[in-house]
Amino acid sequence: MKIRLLFIALICALTSLPVLRAEDGAPKAAAKEETELDHVMDRLNKAYGKVRRQVSDATKNADSIAQVAIMKEAAEAAVKLEPKWKADKPADEQAKFVADYQAKMKETIAQIAKLEEALKAGNNEEAAKIFGVVRDAQKAGHKEFKKPDPKKG
């Protein structure tokens, strides 16, 4: 009886060994290439999400103002960087692509400054409207300057 159990365990181990070895040699999935712009935009998006949830709540204005400052700082850093999608553009269009990106980022920075002013003034209704403009600029900017994710189809 003990020999049978040992024999069955040995057979199971031997049959699963080739499967395990095949996984060892399999190429690893390519990691997403992160750029400095990705890190800056992640910081901006985290602050953006917090502001989106609380922009209308006057009791959270202090935190909203702090988050807007993070958004502004990140946007100012992002304007100095180039989108990685630039590399996929034809050489004669790359300079215009980067210039357009920087212009849109500067417009967004101006809107973020207006948002900050409205929050500091305690005008949350106006701040919510301005945030809508920032949200629309974000969506349009991502559509125009962020490389489409093939997984999202």
Side-chain angles (χ1 to χ4, degrees):
M1 184 73 168
K2 290 182 182 178
I3 293 176
R4 261 194 230 161
L5 287 175
L6 182 60
F7 185 72
I8 291 173
L10 182 62
I11 290 174
C12 288
L14 290 174
T15 56
S16 65
L17 187 61
V19 173
L20 294 175
R21 300 235 352 129
E23 288 179 4
D24 289 342
K28 304 283 186 218
K32 183 181 174 188
E33 213 176 289
E34 293 285 325
T35 65
E36 185 178 353
L37 182 60
D38 290 329
H39 295 293
V40 169
M41 288 298 186
D42 284 344
R43 220 173 59 232
L44 191 150
N45 284 331
K46 286 179 185 174
Y48 170 91
K50 287 182 180 180
V51 174
R52 183 188 71 229
R53 290 186 295 273
Q54 63 193 30
V55 70
S56 298
D57 188 350
T59 63
K60 296 185 179 177
N61 275 3
D63 185 49
S64 293
I65 291 167
Q67 296 303 317
V68 168
I70 293 169
M71 288 172 59
K72 189 175 177 183
E73 178 186 316
E76 288 169 348
V79 80
K80 298 171 187 168
L81 302 171
E82 295 179 347
K84 62 184 168 189
W85 201 13
K86 170 192 160 195
D88 294 350
K89 300 291 181 185
D92 59 332
E93 294 177 17
Q94 289 182 359
K96 182 182 181 329
F97 181 76
V98 172
D100 290 347
Y101 161 76
Q102 290 171 338
K104 293 289 184 180
M105 283 304 299
K106 288 176 183 174
E107 289 174 20
T108 301
I109 291 168
Q111 291 300 322
I112 291 171
K114 289 180 183 178
L115 175 61
E116 184 177 36
E117 290 173 18
L119 287 169
K120 285 181 178 177
N123 190 347
N124 289 76
E125 188 175 313
E126 181 66 19
K129 288 178 186 174
I130 295 168
F131 186 83
V133 173
V134 172
R135 182 192 61 237
D136 293 344
Q138 179 212 29
K139 288 180 181 181
H142 283 180
K143 194 173 207 175
E144 190 173 348
F145 301 107
K146 187 177 179 185
K147 188 174 183 175
D149 188 356
K151 294 177 188 173
K152 292 183 180 180

